[in-house]
């Protein structure tokens, strides 16, 4: 790719203490930017000091939501190396999201290069404490100034990064989720498989309702029958019923999580019975009542998040005595071990910075 032009900040900030880190409220010293224009393609890759940029009020993304993003992390191992977790897979997923939103394809190698270059320059922002990481947010927005509804002819690709701790205030402790029979996130044939702003906007109202009821997140059921599990607001969902691990299939309504794929690969490697199939809320509740259920979410931000309680139609169902299940803990330890370089990485998921 063309050379990335670098303008370093004259006012570097001091990263906060690792002990204070939450999720998504602190950003580093620099950001990556690159523009697209029909006829010219993607051009002008550059790293500049982090800060606001200006957009015309009539800019397309602000009105019709033509935008996409992805999320991945960099980890500082005890060996001092910084590792990016599956950056190539995140770059390819960004492109798949671009496809759904009629956004011109980006070269995945260039996306990975933009991420590496930015993390390299801002590496002092990768926190040290176990459980912390540098969250990386590649984003594409439509920038053309117009109010007619059609795909934009110009775009901005940008990457921002910031140190984070646990996504949920519960940390690795079990969360409570509410299966909604009222609200839906996405429907097959729509945008559910894309990482686009619209899906998160669609989730806000239901999530607020759930939080009023004391739940951390919503478990979205399928939009047609309100019967089958789809996903949780910020993570894919998995259940273990007896010996079978089940997760909803990638049918177009849910996001193809990179952590989801990592977990399925690990489970299959451990010889476990894994099914990507529809699983109904009734099947899950029956297993909860029979004490045969373990449940967890998977996601870049959430990592592996145990579910300790499920709400549905005014009833509360405690899962696994409200405790983290044995398999959930093993998955967490293995994934986190690969990310920090303390566990073997036979699939080559953790990519060293500087290599
Ligand atoms: C992620 O896990 O990276 C996400 O994008 C979830 C969220 C914070 C929107």
């Amino acid at each position: 790719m063309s050379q990335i032009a670098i303008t370093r900040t004259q006012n570097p900030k001091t990263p906060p203490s690792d002990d204070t880190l939450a999720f998504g409220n602190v950003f580093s010293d620099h950001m990556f930017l690159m523009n697209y224009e029909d006829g010219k393609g993607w051009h002008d890759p550059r790293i500049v000091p982090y800060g606001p940029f200006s957009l015309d009020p009539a800019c397309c993304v602000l009105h019709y939501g033509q935008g996409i993003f992805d999320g991945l992390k960099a980890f500082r191992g005890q060996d001092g190396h910084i590792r990016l977790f599956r950056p190539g897979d995140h770059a390819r997923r960004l492109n798949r999201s671009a496809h759904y939103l009629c956004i011109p394809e980006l070269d995945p190698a260039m996306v990975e290069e933009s991420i590496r270059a930015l993390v390299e320059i801002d590496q002092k922002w990768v926190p040290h404490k176990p459980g912390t990481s540098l969250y990386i947010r590649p984003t594409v927005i439509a920038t053309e100034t117009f109010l007619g509804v059609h795909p934009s002819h110009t775009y901005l690709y940008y990457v921002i990064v910031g140190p984070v701790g646990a996504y949920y205030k519960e940390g690795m402790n079990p969360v409570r989720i509410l299966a909604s029979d009222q609200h839906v996130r996405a429907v097959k044939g729509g945008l559910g498989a894309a990482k686009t702003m619209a899906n998160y906007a669609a989730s806000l109202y239901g999530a607020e309702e759930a939080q009023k009821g004391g739940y951390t997140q919503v478990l979205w059921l399928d939009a047609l029958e309100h019967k089958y599990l789809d996903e949780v607001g910020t993570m894919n969902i998995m259940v273990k019923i007896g010996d079978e691990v089940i997760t909803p299939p990638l049918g177009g309504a849910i996001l193809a999580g990179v952590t989801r794929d990592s977990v399925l690969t690990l489970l299959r490697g451990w010889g476990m019975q894994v099914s990507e199939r529809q699983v109904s809320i009734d099947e899950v509740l029956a297993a909860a009542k029979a004490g045969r259920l373990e449940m967890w979410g998977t996601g870049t931000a959430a990592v592996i998040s145990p579910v300790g309680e499920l709400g549905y139609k005014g009833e509360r169902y405690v899962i696994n005595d409200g405790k983290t299940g044995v398999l959930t803990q093993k998955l967490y330890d293995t994934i986190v071990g690969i990310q920090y370089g303390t566990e073997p990485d036979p699939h080559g998921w953790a990519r060293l910075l500087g290599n």
Side-chain angles (χ1 to χ4, degrees):
M1 71 169 284
S2 50
Q3 282 288 307
I4 299 172
I6 295 175
T7 310
R8 284 181 186 269
T9 180
Q10 296 304 305
N11 301 298
K13 301 174 283 195
T14 304
S17 149
D18 289 358
D19 292 322
T20 63
L21 294 177
F23 182 88
N25 54 358
V26 177
F27 299 96
S28 70
D29 285 324
H30 299 91
M31 60 187 180
F32 178 95
L33 304 176
M34 183 168 66
N35 299 89
Y36 175 91
E37 212 179 298
D38 275 2
K40 206 168 168 187
W42 288 104
H43 61 276
D44 200 11
R46 58 205 186 275
I47 288 176
V48 298
Y50 182 94
F53 45 69
S54 68
L55 290 173
D56 191 290
C59 163
C60 162
V61 69
L62 300 179
H63 298 267
Y64 307 124
Q66 196 195 3
I68 53 168
F69 63 93
D70 216 279
L72 67 157
K73 283 176 172 172
F75 302 85
R76 191 186 294 280
Q78 278 167 13
D79 58 3
H81 286 299
I82 293 172
R83 291 170 174 82
L84 294 162
F85 192 68
R86 304 188 67 174
D89 294 300
H90 283 280
R92 283 184 282 279
R93 187 173 68 178
L94 186 73
N95 252 345
R96 290 200 299 279
S97 298
H99 175 77
Y100 284 110
L101 271 290
C102 301
I103 291 173
E105 228 179 78
L106 294 110
D107 174 6
M110 181 279 300
V111 171
E112 196 172 335
E113 174 62 21
S114 66
I115 290 166
R116 282 180 176 275
L118 184 60
V119 176
E120 183 90 45
I121 204 168
D122 274 346
Q123 55 181 278
K124 78 170 190 204
W125 289 85
V126 184
H128 291 74
K129 195 176 161 189
T132 65
S133 57
L134 187 78
Y135 187 74
I136 303 162
R137 177 52 69 87
T139 307
V140 185
I141 55 172
T143 51
E144 194 176 344
T145 301
F146 72 101
L147 293 182
V149 180
H150 63 75
S152 177
H153 297 104
T154 62
Y155 297 87
L156 174 67
Y157 165 68
Y158 66 90
V159 188
I160 53 175
V161 302
V164 298
Y167 183 74
Y168 296 123
K169 66 172 178 7
E170 290 87 345
M172 172 55 186
N173 296 316
V175 293
R176 304 163 71 200
I177 59 176
L178 177 69
S180 179
D181 58 342
Q182 299 287 317
H183 309 287
V184 294
R185 169 189 174 270
V187 65
K188 251 185 201 163
L191 291 175
K195 210 159 171 61
T196 181
M197 294 74 179
N199 289 330
Y200 296 85
S203 76
L204 296 177
Y205 188 84
E208 282 279 300
E209 295 279 299
Q211 275 157 24
K212 280 183 207 151
Y215 293 96
T216 308
Q217 288 264 306
V218 176
L219 170 59
W220 302 103
L221 301 180
D222 78 279
L224 295 178
E225 296 182 70
H226 289 213
K227 183 173 170 189
Y228 298 103
L229 275 57
D230 260 359
E231 67 173 46
V232 179
T234 55
M235 49 190 193
N236 294 110
I237 192 74
M238 297 193 181
V239 291
K240 177 169 173 281
I241 300 179
D243 290 334
E244 184 187 14
V245 175
I246 312 159
T247 197
L250 301 178
I254 68 168
L255 194 71
V258 173
T259 312
R260 173 188 182 278
D261 180 74
S262 307
V263 165
L264 294 180
T265 304
L266 286 174
L267 292 171
R268 290 186 173 121
W270 295 340
M272 297 201 59
Q273 183 192 343
V274 177
S275 308
E276 291 177 72
R277 67 163 172 88
Q278 287 192 315
V279 55
S280 71
I281 186 71
D282 291 340
E283 184 180 355
V284 170
L285 295 180
K289 284 186 210 153
R292 299 177 71 230
L293 179 68
E294 193 173 329
M295 190 170 195
W296 64 89
T298 66
T300 295
V303 197
I304 305 288
S305 181
V307 178
E309 189 180 306
L310 184 57
Y312 184 59
K313 292 194 176 180
E315 299 288 329
R316 292 175 179 269
Y317 300 83
V318 175
I319 300 170
N320 200 46
D321 293 329
K323 300 199 182 85
T324 301
V326 173
L327 184 60
T328 309
Q329 187 68 53
K330 182 174 172 184
L331 285 167
Y332 177 86
D333 292 343
T334 309
I335 295 267
V336 166
I338 294 171
Q339 291 173 334
Y340 288 93
T342 56
E343 284 283 329
D345 179 17
H347 305 286
W349 289 333
R351 316 296 298 188
L352 287 186
L353 192 68
N355 275 359

